[in-house]
Amino acid sequence: MTVTRPARLTGAALCAALALIAAVWILKDLAALGSPVDLAWYWAGDHHFLIRGRSATSLIDAVLLVVSVAAAVAALRSRHAASALAATGTVTLALRLPGLWTPDSGALVTAFLELALAAALIVTAAVGRRPATASYEPLPTRPRTGPAVAAGVLLCVTALVVALWELYWSTELPLEITVDRFIGGRSVIKAALAPPPGWLSLVLVAVYGTAAVSAFVRARHSRSLGLLAGAFLTAGGIAEIARISRYELVGHWADLPTAEQVGVVSAFFELLAGITVLVLLAGRGAPAAAPGPYPSAGMPPPAPPHPPPPGW
């Protein structure tokens, strides 16, 4: 399947609009905090300097900005960008949905706008598809078997780790806080645009699991889903390791409780898994199968007609 040129241009424009919204909010936070370094530390989980200002964005906004720009470039350069457009629209829709019940008016308006753009992006990717009938329109290549299986295993393990951490917090925290982690509430401190942490975990488990299944079956769209999952994995791992370095948790390993030790190991695994998935799925795909021989190739010539016509 390919994407028509009008659909590609429309998808690129929608992705550019999503990226622009995220960029405006990030610039607004930079003006409030006064330092890109402080904003980066806030995204990594260090909120001790909030007396100088409060950030409305989170690491999710930065990742969505990069993903939207990448999808816009893919739509302009490739006729096979339907999966990239659909994946970008779907993950944006899922992550911005909790913004509909946020008390912040600016975040609420942003959520409505981004949900509309994300829905339009999904519709554009679906309606703009057409079969590749011409011989000069090759289908997108599938990932090679080895890298696809390895990426699928890493994504499956990561989805399991995220699910187990959410199960752990649900048993350690009171029921009210556990509910707030999924639907938002006063007991959860987060940026205005950020989804609740439990909701984010559910979305990430769905993204990692879907990307893993598509990688196992070597679907043609597995590269777009895998790179999207790898981007979230890598960004989350970088943020966690930065926080670990900030508080020198590795240097005090023996004094850490078991949960903190497991968290440190999970952070390093998350970063390594994310980078590995990106490398495995960004490489060259498997070569397309050569077309089969013509029906007459390798077959004996037909028998002469009987009786033979004159001059045979």
Side-chain angles (χ1 to χ4, degrees):
M1 301 294 288
T2 61
V3 185
T4 61
R5 181 173 178 79
R8 289 165 53 198
L9 294 177
T10 303
L14 293 171
C15 289
L18 288 172
L20 180 62
I21 293 174
V24 168
W25 275 101
I26 291 174
L27 290 175
K28 182 176 179 294
D29 283 346
L30 284 174
L33 296 180
S35 170
V37 176
D38 287 348
L39 182 59
W41 280 119
Y42 180 88
W43 289 348
D46 183 6
H47 300 171
H48 290 112
F49 54 85
L50 286 182
I51 190 173
R52 289 179 285 167
R54 184 173 182 83
S55 172
T57 60
S58 66
L59 184 64
I60 296 300
D61 298 277
V63 177
L64 287 179
L65 172 61
V66 175
V67 169
S68 299
V69 172
V73 173
L76 293 176
R77 297 185 59 183
S78 174
R79 294 188 299 267
H80 307 298
S83 57
L85 296 177
T88 302
T90 302
V91 74
T92 302
L93 197 69
L95 292 174
R96 292 312 191 198
L97 192 60
L100 293 179
W101 51 83
T102 181
D104 187 280
S105 58
L108 179 61
V109 172
T110 300
F112 271 114
L113 184 56
E114 289 195 314
L115 288 174
L117 292 172
L121 194 57
I122 297 173
V123 172
T124 301
V127 174
R129 299 175 65 191
R130 65 176 178 85
T133 55
S135 58
Y136 57 83
E137 292 183 357
L139 294 174
T141 57
R142 300 178 185 273
R144 296 179 183 271
T145 303
V149 173
V153 170
L154 289 174
L155 290 170
C156 271
V157 174
T158 306
L160 179 61
V161 170
V162 175
L164 289 177
W165 269 115
E166 203 55 46
L167 180 62
Y168 167 79
W169 288 119
S170 66
T171 59
E172 291 292 320
L173 299 174
L175 179 60
E176 179 183 358
I177 299 179
T178 300
V179 174
D180 287 348
R181 283 178 56 83
F182 287 91
I183 64 175
R186 296 181 178 179
S187 61
V188 176
I189 301 176
K190 65 178 187 65
L193 295 179
W199 182 282
L200 174 61
S201 297
L202 289 180
V203 173
L204 292 181
V205 168
V207 170
Y208 298 156
T210 305
V213 172
S214 66
F216 283 136
V217 301
R218 298 179 61 227
R220 298 189 186 276
H221 60 268
S222 59
R223 183 168 300 173
S224 299
L225 290 177
L227 292 177
L228 176 67
F232 278 100
L233 259 177
T234 304
I238 292 174
E240 283 297 316
I241 291 178
R243 185 185 65 84
I244 290 170
S245 302
R246 179 85 158 183
Y247 296 110
E248 300 180 351
L249 298 183
V250 176
H252 301 84
W253 177 266
D255 301 328
L256 296 178
T258 304
E260 285 285 347
Q261 293 178 343
V262 175
V264 171
V265 175
S266 299
F268 280 96
F269 170 77
E270 187 176 5
L271 177 60
L272 293 177
I275 295 175
T276 304
V277 168
L278 290 176
V279 172
L280 290 174
L281 296 181
R284 187 182 299 273
Y294 291 103
S296 59
M299 298 179 64
H306 183 78
W312 181 264

